[in-house]
Amino acid sequence: MFTTQPFDDDKLREECGIFGVSGADGAAALVALGLHALQHRGQEAAGICSWDGAMFHTQRAQGHVAGNFDRPEVIESLPGATACGHVRYSTTGETSNRNIQPLYAELASGGFAVAHNGNLSNAMRLRKDLVRTGSIFQSTSDTEVIIHLVATSNYRTLLDRFIDALKQVEGAYSLICMTPEGMIACRDPLGIRPLVMGKLGDAYIFASETVALDVVGAEFVREVEPGELVIVSNGELRSIRPFAPLSPRPCIFEWVYFSRPDSISEDRSVYSVRKAIGAELAQENPVEADLVIPVPDSGVPAAIGYAQASGIPFELGIIRSHYVGRTFIQPGDKVRHLGVKLKHNANRKLIEGKRIVLVDDSIVRGTTSLKIVQMMRDAGAAEVHMRIASPPTRHSCFYGVDTPERAKLLAAKLDLGGMTDYIQADSLAFISIDGLYRALGEANRTSVRPKYCDACFTGDYPTPLTDQDETSSVDQLAVLAERVG
């Protein structure tokens, strides 16, 4: 089987999306709708867990939300006014049912379900310690470490045991947890991964992005703050902050690519910010050309901003078909090559003889950029200039993003000239790190306390990387503790 999404295969992937409802009849149906809106954050598996006041009910499946959670009998098997759900990518190896979230366990205090977006950067060490003292793991997910830490904590109440567990973990997490006592939603003290809160009547809604609130008709209330735990019990909401306050470092790549453009973050439209990034890119890296062409679909807002700032016309030079399935059976190399055109095709009459600027959100391995440049040349482009709406990706992410090991990142291996030659473009340029911050409303990147986590560009990791430091190989790390959102 071969994925016919050649422009999506070489992307950094946010590993998970989470959605929770507390206090609404038929909560699971709302969760299914919310997960539809978050499908872009994880397309390999999905799960929903509900609580009906007496029992927990769980359904988990490989594949998309559609086809698994759009059947009435599935939703009917998830009764109750409280439910949470999860969509995921895996980072290494095959997706297995045991890793599909929400994870659920019976603790001494009762049932405990958790949906996690992020990655615990000391999960391997914690797992080893827990196994050594008798814990038995059922998955390879770092999320299960949280369950075992809660189960083995010496604190009396479940909430105190949960806080005790969180104080032992490092890295990034946004969590939605369900217990017989209610729902808990929280973010790590740096707020690396996103989480927002909304209301639908008397029900409270939690989601990775505001677009999921829109889909279910919920009103956006606010973001869950970094280091905050929001507890909903018996229809009442309270907030606690058990951690020492830190300067937040939310993921900057949410602005570049991960979030849907129709989401809102920090009271700003993601779409508008991406246009501003494109405008800044044009100011920093002008070029004489006839057309600005986005790499669909993620490059569109930045390309519009580039075109408006440069005065070069914006055109759809690559046409994407939205009616092709994710896979296509291909018996040989010739048909495999043709299969690429099922999903994307050059707008030949528009491109022929033109000097074009291709705008994309990022370059990871470089394989996608090479295909796109070649497609433009095959369509008769006179010149092909590539402009990237993020700085060079030189470092791996360990906070819940599916990133190749550093040796496979094009910008970690080659300088700008080498990358230009590799993708066979007439020119290549990236927005600077300061330019990216300017597009986000900052004067520049402050090296002392930058506002965002930008480690994939700068190598400035805001938390310890215990497992990475203790492991000489990323492959060994993946075998011992598969990173999943």
Side-chain angles (χ1 to χ4, degrees), residues 394-452:
R394 294 193 171 99
H395 305 272
S396 297
C397 176
F398 301 100
Y399 299 126
V401 177
D402 182 11
T403 318
E405 58 192 79
R406 194 176 181 213
K408 294 182 180 179
L409 295 172
L410 191 69
K413 299 185 294 183
L414 301 173
D415 61 12
L416 183 62
M419 287 190 283
T420 307
D421 292 342
Y422 178 84
I423 68 172
Q424 300 178 18
D426 290 285
S427 73
L428 169 67
F430 298 80
I431 192 171
S432 68
I433 188 68
D434 282 341
L436 181 57
Y437 272 79
R438 284 193 294 272
L440 285 162
E442 303 293 311
N444 51 45
R445 183 188 190 271
T446 304
S447 59
V448 178
R449 287 189 178 180
K451 184 175 179 179
Y452 297 97

Side-chain angles (χ1 to χ4, degrees), residues 175-359:
L175 302 171
I176 298 174
C177 304
M178 293 188 343
T179 78
E181 300 172 13
M183 177 171 282
I184 306 170
C186 64
R187 289 174 79 187
D188 68 78
L190 291 173
I192 298 174
R193 301 262 66 86
L195 191 63
V196 299
M197 178 170 63
K199 284 209 75 177
L200 182 62
D202 293 329
Y204 288 95
I205 314 286
F206 300 95
S208 293
E209 295 184 42
T210 62
V211 67
L213 302 179
D214 298 338
V215 166
V216 301
E219 174 192 1
F220 170 70
V221 175
R222 62 177 177 86
E223 295 186 9
V224 176
E225 296 180 5
E228 180 185 20
L229 275 69
V230 179
I231 301 105
V232 183
S233 181
N234 297 319
E236 299 295 325
L237 181 144
R238 64 190 177 104
S239 168
I240 60 174
R241 292 170 173 78
F243 306 103
L246 299 172
S247 297
R249 296 282 298 275
C251 173
I252 201 168
F253 216 81
E254 290 285 346
W255 293 107
V256 174
Y257 176 69
F258 293 145
S259 294
R260 267 181 44 165
D262 45 344
S263 280
I264 305 295
S265 182
E266 300 176 12
D267 294 325
R268 288 179 292 177
S269 157
V270 172
Y271 176 80
S272 296
V273 168
R274 288 180 185 165
K275 284 179 61 179
I277 293 172
E280 186 69 34
L281 178 63
Q283 292 170 15
E284 288 189 345
N285 301 289
V287 63
E288 291 188 7
D290 303 306
L291 299 174
V292 173
I293 293 174
V295 176
D297 288 319
S298 58
V300 171
I304 293 172
Y306 192 102
Q308 291 175 346
S310 65
I312 302 171
F314 170 92
E315 295 286 356
L316 296 179
I318 302 170
I319 306 303
R320 175 171 181 168
S321 170
H322 293 272
Y323 304 100
V324 178
R326 284 179 56 79
T327 56
F328 182 70
I329 299 172
Q330 301 180 344
D333 289 340
K334 181 178 180 180
V335 179
R336 182 177 296 112
H337 176 71
L338 295 176
V340 168
K341 294 186 178 181
L342 286 174
K343 199 72 178 184
H344 299 88
N345 194 40
N347 195 347
R348 180 176 295 273
K349 282 296 183 182
L350 178 74
I351 292 167
E352 198 168 17
K354 300 294 196 307
R355 302 168 299 171
I356 64 171
V357 180
L358 284 169
V359 179

